Amino acid sequence: MRSVSVFGATGSIGESTFDLLMRQGGPDAYRVVALTGGRNVARLAEQARALRAEMAVIADNALLPDLKGALAGSGIAAAAGQNALLEAADCPADWIMSGIVGAAGLAPGFRALSHGGTLALANKESLVTAGPLLMAEARAHGARILPVDSEHSAVFQALVGEEMEAVERITITASGGAFRDWPLDRLASATVAEASTHPNWAMGQRITIDSASMFNKALEVIETHEFFGISSEQIEVLVHPESLVHALVGFRDGGVIGHLGVPDMRHAIGYALNWPERVQLPVARLNLAEIGQLTFAAPDPARYPALRLAREVMSVGGLSGAAFNAAKEAALDAFIDGRIGFTAMAGAVEDVLSRLSATGALGNPAASLDMVLDTDREARRLAGEVIEKMQRT
Ligand code: NDP
C-alpha cells in the first residue's frame, strides 16, 4: 500500500489533495502517515479521522490540547510545533505533499527529501529560497520532486519525452489578478478584500493577493528558473485572462507545445499523485468551442513591478531569492494588517533588496539551509524597519 503525508492539509492545496485521496480509495488505498495544519484544529482532526492517519500535527504549539481533544479515542497521535513538523517529515512516506504556505514550508520539505520518495511541491517558496539546495538534496537521496504549481506541472507535462537542450523558451501565463483592468492610479487605494478575489482560481488568501500584485508570478518565474535550470532570458510571462493555457514550451525547431486545462488544482495535484500514470480526475473538461477565443498580452511593467524584481533576483542569484521571498512575505503581512497600501509592497521589497545588496551578502551561494534561514530572518527584520518608516511618512 502506498504511504502518503500531506503538509498543509487544511489549506487550499491540502483540501484538494484530501479530496483526491478520498476519491481514490482513502484509507483503504493509502497508508496515511502524517497530516499537518497551521491553526485549523477542527478540520485537521476531521481529515485525520477520515483518512485514518497515523499522526496529525498542528504548527501552533498552543493548540496541542485542542488537537488531542479533537482526536480523543481515535488512536491517531497528536503533536504540535515546528519540531513536530520536522519529526513528521522524518517519518518516511512514498509521496509527500508540500502544501504549507510561505517559507515555513521549506524545512519540512527539505527534511522529507532526505528519506527519498516523491515530494509533490506546491510550496514554490522552497525553490525560490533554496532551489539549488533542494535539488541537490533530492539528487543525494534519490528523491523525486514533482511540480504542483499549475504552470510548472504544465511545463513538466509538455516536456515528457523531450530534451531540455532542445528548449528555447518557456512561457508561463498569468491571469493578471484582481486589478488587471483597474486604472493604475486606483491601485494604491486597493483594499485587502478587493485584492483577495481572483478572476479564475479559488486559492488561499495569500497567493490570491500575490496574484493581484504578480508577486506570485515573480516567484513562479524564479521557480521555473530553479526547477527547469533555464535562464531568466528564456522565461516569458504572458497575461492570459482566461487562465486556460497554463504554460507553453518553445523548442529550437520553432515548435511550441502548450498545456491547457480548466483552472482546477486537482489536475496538477492528481497528475503528481498518480505520475507517471494518468488517471480519471474529477475536473471539468475544456470546451474550446464554447470558450471561443483565448487572449494574451505582455504584462505591463508599471502595473506589475514584482516581475522586474524577480529578474533582478535571478541575475544576482545566491541568497537573493531567500531575501526576496521573506521581504515579500513581510510586506504582504503588512498589507493584510492594513499597515501599508497595495502598491507599497513592491517598494518595500525593493528597498530591502537594495539594503541587503549594499552589504554584498546576497550574491553568496546558499550553501546551507541555515544560511537561507538567516537571510530570511534578516530580510524580515529589515522589512520591519522599512515598513515602519513607510508608516511614519
Ligand atoms: P493556504 O493558506 O490555503 O493553506 C496553507 C496551509 O499551510 C494550511 O494548511 C495552513 O494551516 C498551513 N500553514 C500556514 N502557516 C503555517 C506555518 N507557519 N507552519 C505550518 N503550517 C502552516 O495556502 P494554499 O493552499 O493556497 O497554498 C499553499 C502553497 O501552495 C503555497 O506555497 C502556494 O504558493 C502554493 N500554491 C497554491 C495554489 C492554490 O491553488 N492554492 C496553486 C499553486 C501553488 P491552517 O489553515 O490550519 O492555519
Side-chain angles (χ1 to χ4, degrees):
M1 197 184 254
R2 236 175 134 205
S3 55
V4 301
S5 285
V6 183
F7 286 78
T10 51
S12 165
I13 288 287
E15 284 289 3
S16 293
T17 309
F18 172 79
D19 178 68
L20 288 172
L21 290 172
M22 290 303 285
R23 287 169 188 266
Q24 291 190 190
D28 298 326
Y30 297 95
R31 180 168 79 83
V32 178
V33 178
L35 298 182
T36 85
R39 296 189 47 82
N40 192 345
V41 165
R43 185 61 187 144
L44 180 63
E46 245 170 48
Q47 291 178 331
R49 283 177 183 274
L51 282 169
R52 298 203 288 273
E54 291 168 12
M55 172 193 337
V57 181
I58 199 83
D60 187 337
N61 260 316
L63 296 172
L64 182 58
D66 295 359
L67 183 60
K68 281 187 168 160
L71 290 172
S74 67
I76 299 167
Q82 293 308 312
N83 282 338
L85 283 176
L86 293 180
E87 280 162 23
D90 266 334
C91 298
D94 300 322
W95 188 88
I96 299 121
M97 166 52 74
S98 169
I100 291 176
V101 66
L106 171 61
F110 193 80
R111 186 68 75 88
L113 286 174
S114 68
H115 299 282
T118 296
L119 186 70
L121 192 68
N123 180 267
K124 63 194 82 184
E125 296 87 347
S126 297
L127 279 172
V128 172
T129 57
L133 277 176
L134 210 72
M135 302 301 273
E137 189 71 0
R139 276 193 302 274
H141 299 282
R144 178 177 287 114
I145 301 177
L146 292 178
V148 168
D149 228 341
S150 58
E151 297 76 3
H152 304 75
S153 171
V155 173
F156 188 82
Q157 294 182 47
L159 284 172
V160 170
E162 305 289 349
E163 297 293 334
M164 268 318 282
E165 298 81 69
V167 174
E168 223 169 51
R169 190 185 54 191
I170 290 179
T171 304
I172 58 174
T173 61
S175 69
F179 307 138
R180 185 187 60 228
D181 302 320
W182 278 34
L184 280 181
D185 59 7
R186 225 184 117 195
L187 291 183
S189 61
T191 66
V192 173
E194 286 165 334
S196 303
T197 59
H198 195 282
N200 305 319
W201 293 92
M203 307 184 286
Q205 186 193 32
R206 297 181 74 84
I207 184 175
T208 303
I209 299 175
D210 282 349
S211 297
S213 62
M214 271 221 206
F215 266 112
N216 179 50
K217 208 51 54 181
L219 296 180
E220 288 178 8
V221 170
I222 303 171
E223 184 185 7
T224 305
H225 168 65
E226 296 293 351
F227 189 81
F228 296 103
I230 190 165
S231 72
S232 168
E233 295 72 32
Q234 291 172 285
I235 305 168
E236 176 190 41
V237 174
L238 276 184
V239 175
H240 168 48
E242 296 85 6
S243 294
L244 296 172
V245 177
H246 304 309
L248 302 157
V249 179
F251 295 91
R252 61 184 169 208
D253 60 1
V256 177
I257 297 183
H259 179 281
L260 288 80
V262 298
D264 183 335
M265 282 309 294
R266 291 177 304 176
H267 168 73
I269 298 168
Y271 182 80
L273 179 61
N274 298 291
W275 184 89
E277 255 183 81
R278 284 191 187 268
V279 306
Q280 195 87 23
L281 290 173
V283 299
R285 277 21 181 187
L286 195 58
N287 184 337
L288 285 176
E290 211 167 77
I291 291 153
Q293 72 179 34
L294 300 175
T295 50
F296 301 92
D300 173 1
R303 188 179 297 276
Y304 304 117
L307 292 178
R308 172 178 53 79
L309 297 178
R311 302 285 176 193
E312 287 171 21
V313 165
M314 285 185 287
S315 77
V316 176
L319 291 161
S320 58
F324 176 64
N325 179 67
K328 189 283 294 177
E329 288 190 24
L332 177 59
D333 287 338
F335 173 63
I336 292 173
D337 297 349
R339 282 177 284 138
I340 58 173
F342 181 77
T343 47
M345 287 191 284
V349 173
E350 186 158 20
D351 204 349
V352 171
L353 287 179
S354 56
R355 284 182 192 213
L356 276 171
S357 67
T359 69
L362 288 187
N364 293 335
S368 68
L369 207 57
D370 282 344
M371 279 178 84
V372 171
L373 297 175
D374 284 349
T375 304
D376 177 288
R377 269 189 292 276
E378 179 59 6
R380 282 175 207 265
R381 189 189 66 74
L382 280 175
E385 282 180 18
V386 166
I387 288 162
E388 212 181 298
K389 196 168 143 214
M390 281 177 157
Q391 288 177 278
R392 282 201 305 270
T393 51

